[in-house]
């Protein structure tokens, strides 16, 4: 079945108390009652299917997890309280019985870098950064670091670089490491990392999948090989998503393919308009035929679906000019997130990559003149008109 159909149907219509609701209700119970201790014992021991405690599993989470598996061809999924909770449990699951060493992409979301440098490294995990778009350099780093885990984003935040996930998955396998891919920017419409050999695909569901700016959520989706390990760790650590958020996320996902198709098409129009604007120095967009990773994008991504993020540098701008430009926006929302129905703009230096030192940021290629636009579902000409009038103010 195609993803557009899965998004609408998967996970729903489970029998509850003798009836079958058309859509999944919000199950608020934290624990479950059985007629006999024998049965409760079997459920606790995972010998019989059933729910006993909401930190372990719940009907609301199970429905969403089934839906996520359908979207990304996974065997098991875990709905988490945030994207960061998802990344943390995926990396913990990856390292639990492997060498405590990570080779991470040198372009990652700021909080992911923070997790590596401020949490994992001080806890004794060796962390090394390498460029996933340079397979030679990555292989050298892997040979030297002998990692238990490789960590990357399908489309990197905020410069939108694309590594060859399939080749990196092979490299990880040869090295005895597992590959964790943050698929938030690409979404399952553009990329399904597990199909390319990745071990864990993680998401901030807060973004495109939920899509309406009203729920904070994350997910890990994995293969059969890693499902039991992931779920067993989750039973202990409890990064799980609450039933209300599960409901909102499932509701959002029903229209996710429709929204994503529109957002990708809008992003193509906005990016090509920006490229021709004299006040714009450089545009970063995965649909650009001159993108540095165009060959990988052509090989791996579906035609005409390149993602809906567009980053760009304002010519000769520093913080003051960027502030003036962003303050002048009337339609595009100045806010820290992405993937919502409305277009949003963020200043990476001030928000997503704020916690990274200016030196490290510059090494990552994130300059003070860079802004990041998440293109929404509005009419493309209205988005362009708003950018045009704001650029006049710079
Ligand atoms: C690529 C990426 N991964 C993970 C996260 C973290 O997600 P959350 O805010 O849901 O914890 C974000 C948040 O912006 C992100 O952009």
């Amino acid at each position: 079945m195609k993803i557009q159909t899965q998004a609408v149907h998967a996970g729903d219509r489970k029998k509850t108390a003798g009836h079958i609701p058309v859509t999944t209700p919000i199950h608020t119970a934290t624990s479950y009652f059985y007629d006999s201790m024998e049965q409760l014992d079997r459920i606790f021991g995972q010998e019989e299917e059933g729910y006993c405690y909401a930190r372990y599993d719940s009907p609301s989470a199970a429905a969403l997890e089934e839906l996520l598996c359908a979207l990304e061809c996974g065997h098991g999924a875990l709905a988490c309280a945030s994207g960061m909770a998802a990344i943390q449990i995926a990396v913990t699951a990856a390292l639990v019985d492997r060498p405590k060493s990570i080779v991470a992409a040198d372009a990652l979301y700021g909080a992911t870098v923070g997790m590596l440098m401020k949490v994992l490294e001080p806890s004794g995990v060796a962390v090394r950064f390498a460029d996933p778009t340079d397979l030679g350099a990555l292989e050298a780093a892997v040979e030297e670091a002998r990692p238990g885990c490789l960590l990357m984003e399908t489309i990197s935040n905020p410069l939108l670089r694309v590594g060859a996930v399939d080749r990196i998955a092979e490299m990880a396998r040869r090295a005895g490491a597992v590959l964790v891919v943050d698929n938030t920017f690409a979404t399952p419409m553009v990329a399904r990392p597990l199909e390319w050999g990745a071990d864990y695909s993680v998401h901030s569901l807060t973004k495109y999948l939920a899509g309406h700016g009203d729920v904070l959520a994350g997910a890990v989706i994995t293969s059969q090989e890693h499902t039991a390990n992931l779920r067993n760790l989750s039973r202990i650590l409890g990064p799980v998503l609450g039933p209300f958020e599960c409901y909102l996320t499932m509701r959002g996902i029903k229209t996710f393919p429709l929204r994503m198709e529109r957002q990708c098409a809008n992003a193509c129009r906005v990016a090509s308009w920006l490229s021709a604007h004299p006040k714009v120095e450089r545009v970063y967009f995965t649909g650009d035929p001159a993108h540095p990773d165009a060959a990988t994008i052509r090989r791996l991504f579906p035609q005409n679906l390149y993602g809906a993020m567009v980053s760009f540098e304002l010519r000769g701008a520093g913080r003051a000019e960027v502030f003036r430009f962003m303050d002048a926006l009337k339609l595009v929302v100045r806010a820290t997130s992405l993937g919502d129905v409305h277009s949003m703009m963020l200043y990476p230096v001030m928000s997503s990559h704020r916690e990274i030192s200016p030196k490290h940021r510059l090494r990552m290629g994130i300059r003070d003149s860079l802004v990041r636009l998440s293109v929404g579902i509005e009419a493309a000409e209205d988005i362009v008109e708003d950018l045009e009038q704001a650029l006049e103010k710079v």
Side-chain angles (χ1 to χ4, degrees), residues 74-77 200 222-233:
H75 176 269
Y200 296 94
T222 190
S223 60
Q224 184 163 14
E225 187 186 348
H226 302 294
T227 297
N229 181 32
L230 176 71
R231 293 218 67 94
N232 289 338
L233 279 177

Side-chain angles (χ1 to χ4, degrees), residues 228-241:
N229 181 32
L230 176 71
R231 293 218 67 94
N232 289 338
L233 279 177
S234 169
R235 280 167 80 103
I236 300 166
L237 297 174
V240 297
L241 189 63

Side-chain angles (χ1 to χ4, degrees), residues 193-385:
L194 300 182
E195 286 189 334
W196 296 332
D199 295 277
Y200 296 94
S201 171
V202 299
H203 284 273
S204 168
L205 301 176
T206 316
K207 312 295 179 341
Y208 292 100
L209 282 140
H212 294 76
D214 54 8
V215 54
L216 190 80
V220 186
I221 306 153
T222 190
S223 60
Q224 184 163 14
E225 187 186 348
H226 302 294
T227 297
N229 181 32
L230 176 71
R231 293 218 67 94
N232 289 338
L233 279 177
S234 169
R235 280 167 80 103
I236 300 166
L237 297 174
V240 297
L241 189 63
F244 294 96
E245 286 81 3
C246 288
Y247 158 77
L248 275 175
T249 306
M250 278 192 89
R251 188 182 160 98
I253 288 176
K254 289 185 194 299
T255 56
F256 148 69
L258 209 59
R259 288 185 275 108
M260 193 62 188
E261 279 164 2
R262 169 68 171 247
Q263 283 171 276
C264 288
N266 277 356
C268 283
R269 289 181 60 183
V270 170
S272 81
W273 180 83
L274 281 168
S275 312
H277 199 286
K279 290 194 175 163
V280 174
E281 189 168 351
R282 184 166 172 191
V283 176
Y284 300 83
F285 179 56
T286 35
D288 177 359
H291 188 285
D293 309 314
T296 305
I297 292 168
R298 258 197 315 276
R299 194 169 63 75
L300 294 180
F301 287 9
Q303 249 189 347
N304 298 324
L305 285 178
Y306 305 109
M309 300 298 297
V310 181
S311 296
F312 56 99
E313 283 166 10
L314 299 179
R315 194 175 296 283
R319 183 184 160 95
E321 291 77 17
V322 170
F323 274 26
R324 208 168 334 124
F325 166 63
M326 289 185 65
D327 278 341
L329 293 167
K330 292 179 179 155
L331 173 82
V332 174
V333 181
R334 291 181 298 272
T336 300
S337 196
L338 63 114
D340 289 338
V341 283
H342 44 265
S343 294
M344 302 176 87
M345 191 176 287
L346 163 154
Y347 188 30
V349 165
M350 195 198 75
S351 49
S352 61
H353 292 71
R354 185 187 186 103
E355 302 303 325
I356 298 174
S357 72
K359 227 166 98 189
H360 188 160
R361 253 192 332 246
L362 266 183
R363 269 206 312 275
M364 292 170 85
I366 300 167
R367 298 207 240 147
D368 287 1
S369 56
L370 182 81
V371 294
R372 194 193 79 188
L373 173 65
S374 165
V375 180
I377 64 169
E378 304 95 335
E381 47 271 50
D382 289 334
I383 304 169
V384 164
E385 196 181 307

